[in-house]
Amino acid sequence: MMETLDTSENANVVAGPSGIRPCLLKQTERNGFVCGLCHKEFAGSWEFDIHYRTHIGEKPFVGDVCKRGFTQKGDLDRHYRTHSSEKLFVCDICQKGFGLKFNLKTHYRTHTAEKPFVCDICQKGFTRRVNLDNHYGIHSGEKTFECDVCKKGFANRSNLARHAQTHTEQKRYECRICGKASTDGSNCNRHHKEKHK
């Protein structure tokens, strides 16, 4: 049976080292723990401790490279590999290495052409959910990503990133025939088709 908490009488209870006030942690009859805020049940108090951080926004494990915070040390350890050259997970097809197992799993889709995340409006498929979520901005017309330099809006982060390159001096793409430089690969391809074919 789940028990709810009455925290009004315990409002002055001081939090321990975890930052959690004991009144928000209640043992159930089944020797589990229930969150007094959302009523989720946990087998151990340490699981509750981690869960409670999601309510209060506490992220005590902070990366020294990018300063991103995490609720669990294991998540920080996994994230740290994105900054290092350590590639523990290697594709057995093309030998490309990845710091995270999740990224290897997603990478396999480039070999299988699997696109499990499908837009319910236009049926376009994506290898990653985040790409589908960004894609929906095209249909809604919503432009939530804004350029810091010129304030132009974009429906997704990748289009903003591509646009941001136009404000830099760096032109990474060059026509193999005439040498015309471009900040964007698609512009370089368009140039090639229009001028040299």
Side-chain angles (χ1 to χ4, degrees):
M1 175 173 191
M2 183 171 25
E3 297 179 38
T4 57
L5 300 177
D6 176 13
T7 60
S8 59
E9 65 186 44
N10 298 319
N12 295 325
V13 175
V14 178
S18 68
I20 298 170
R21 293 188 337 209
C23 60
L24 291 176
L25 179 61
K26 183 85 171 180
Q27 237 176 327
T28 65
E29 292 173 7
R30 293 190 308 255
N31 292 329
F33 297 88
V34 177
C35 176
L37 299 174
C38 71
H39 306 294
K40 284 188 179 179
E41 297 185 25
F42 300 91
S45 62
W46 66 272
E47 292 171 301
F48 170 79
D49 190 3
I50 292 167
H51 162 78
Y52 187 68
R53 291 175 184 150
T54 64
H55 290 299
I56 61 173
E58 179 186 11
K59 295 182 178 182
F61 304 99
V62 179
D64 56 352
V65 177
C66 67
K67 306 301 183 215
R68 184 172 172 191
F70 297 89
T71 57
Q72 299 180 58
K73 186 177 183 319
D75 292 340
L76 171 61
D77 293 342
R78 267 188 301 284
H79 172 76
Y80 184 74
R81 288 199 300 260
T82 65
H83 296 293
S84 75
S85 58
E86 183 181 21
K87 308 293 182 191
L88 299 176
F89 305 97
V90 178
C91 176
D92 58 340
I93 297 169
C94 69
Q95 311 312 308
K96 185 172 182 179
F98 298 90
L100 300 174
K101 188 175 185 177
F102 169 81
N103 291 343
L104 173 60
K105 184 178 176 185
T106 301
H107 165 77
Y108 276 130
R109 294 177 183 151
T110 63
H111 297 298
T112 65
E114 178 191 9
K115 294 184 176 182
F117 305 102
V118 179
C119 175
D120 55 359
I121 298 170
C122 71
Q123 313 315 290
K124 183 173 181 178
F126 298 89
T127 57
R128 298 174 61 209
R129 179 177 301 283
V130 68
N131 294 346
L132 172 61
D133 293 342
N134 286 336
H135 166 78
Y136 278 123
I138 293 169
H139 296 299
S140 70
E142 189 177 350
K143 296 185 175 182
T144 56
F145 300 93
E146 186 178 270
C147 176
D148 292 334
V149 177
C150 69
K151 305 303 180 199
K152 184 175 180 181
F154 295 90
N156 60 53
R157 184 174 281 115
S158 61
N159 288 350
L160 170 59
R162 188 178 306 118
H163 164 79
Q165 293 174 358
T166 65
H167 295 298
T168 68
E169 297 295 319
Q170 184 181 16
K171 296 190 176 189
R172 302 181 334 188
Y173 302 93
E174 191 174 290
C175 175
R176 292 173 301 211
I177 296 172
C178 69
K180 179 175 172 49
S182 175
T183 57
D184 185 276
S186 60
N187 290 344
C188 190
N189 289 337
R190 188 179 319 112
H191 159 81
H192 184 73
K193 288 177 185 175
E194 291 174 359
K195 303 294 181 188
H196 302 297
K197 285 198 177 189

